Amino acid sequence: QSALTQPRSVSGSPGQSVTISCTGSNTDVGGYSYVSWYQQYPGKAPKLMIYDVSKRPLGVPDRFSGSKSGNTASLTISGLQAEDEADYYCCSYAGTYTFRVFGGGTRLTVL
Amino acid sequence: EVQLVQSGAEVKKPGESLKISCKGSGYSFTSYWIGWVRQMPGKGLEWMGIIYPGDSDTRYSPSFQGQVTISADRSINTAYLQWSSLKASDTAIYYCARAPSLAGTLDQWGQGTLVTVSS
């Protein structure tokens, strides 16, 4: 099972919005509503930011939102802040053989 | 407070065996799945497998099937990831994470265990 495809890097200025895409197939992203997004700072464990495509865990700012269209999921961060600079990974359930697949990760730079 | 606390960093030689742990607290350990994720140096996250401590139902990623063994001891709220013969390519940080269901999201993560395999 190939990793989900994410852009290697995105950037934006404080206050702007950025969107990170996550492209899979109809056997993972397109086939289930179990897409999640994780934020990871260097040297730290990943942190859940979005689950079930568009749900936010308690404590995650509403600047973070998720969506899905066909085989592509997206994470949008609005009102960019310096603290948002991190790596972001998408993850999807992929059925009863592979179970889960991660994206390759996207480095977000806040200019 | 929900916590997953992993065992400390390990330095091993190729061919040696290893078992690392992940201890859950602050929730019903037997009611959630525990997954394992690998992150090689400077690389992304890779799904390894998952176990349900309630009945030890275990599923592996095809990429890791036969390469590692996942187990759990529900009497001490601890899940394990083990290798019988390490390779240099096993050098990585290994994370455990909790999931409410087999397909559900990984909602709480351990701090990670760095495994270094070098001769």
Side-chain angles (χ1 to χ4, degrees):
Chain A
Q1 183 81 13
S2 299
L4 305 176
T5 300
Q6 297 182 233
R8 292 187 70 95
S9 64
V10 297
S11 63
S13 300
Q16 289 186 330
S17 294
V18 295
T19 296
I20 300 172
S21 61
C22 169
T23 302
S25 68
N26 57 9
T27 60
D28 40 63
V29 174
Y32 306 96
S33 294
Y34 291 116
V35 176
S36 50
W37 290 89
Y38 302 91
Q39 176 191 63
Q40 186 180 36
Y41 293 116
K44 299 296 186 182
K47 174 189 173 184
L48 177 65
M49 303 302 284
I50 295 288
Y51 68 100
D52 293 354
V53 176
S54 60
K55 299 176 182 176
R56 263 190 321 275
L58 285 175
V60 172
D62 60 6
R63 302 184 295 102
F64 290 83
S65 62
S67 62
K68 188 183 82 164
S69 177
N71 296 336
T72 298
S74 299
L75 172 70
T76 298
I77 309 171
S78 58
L80 266 180
Q81 299 181 3
E83 67 202 50
D84 299 332
E85 185 163 293
D87 294 326
Y88 291 85
Y89 293 90
C90 61
C91 180
S92 175
Y93 181 67
T96 56
Y97 178 65
T98 306
F99 298 102
R100 276 175 184 74
V101 62
F102 281 97
T106 299
R107 172 68 55 87
L108 169 62
T109 301
V110 180
L111 302 170
Chain B
E1 178 194 7
V2 174
Q3 278 194 309
L4 294 174
V5 179
Q6 298 186 230
S7 49
E10 302 273 2
V11 179
K12 292 288 190 179
K13 290 181 166 45
E16 292 187 331
S17 63
L18 176 64
K19 192 174 189 178
I20 63 175
S21 66
C22 168
K23 184 174 177 62
S25 62
Y27 72 100
S28 175
F29 187 72
T30 54
S31 299
Y32 287 78
W33 295 75
I34 294 286
W36 287 93
V37 176
R38 181 175 79 175
Q39 188 166 39
M40 299 178 75
K43 302 298 184 182
L45 305 174
E46 298 175 89
W47 174 253
M48 299 180 73
I50 194 167
I51 187 166
Y52 188 70
D55 62 6
S56 293
D57 184 3
T58 307
R59 316 293 176 90
Y60 293 93
S61 160
S63 299
F64 290 92
Q65 178 84 48
Q67 308 304 309
V68 297
T69 301
I70 294 170
S71 61
D73 184 341
R74 60 187 184 185
S75 70
I76 54 171
N77 289 0
T78 301
Y80 301 97
L81 178 65
Q82 68 181 85
W83 295 260
S84 59
S85 181
L86 286 160
K87 302 184 285 288
S89 57
D90 292 319
T91 295
I93 297 174
Y94 293 88
Y95 294 100
C96 66
R98 186 187 78 160
S101 66
L102 179 58
T105 197
L106 303 169
D107 63 358
Q108 296 289 338
W109 292 64
Q111 83 276 20
T113 295
L114 174 62
V115 174
T116 303
V117 183
S118 174
S119 54

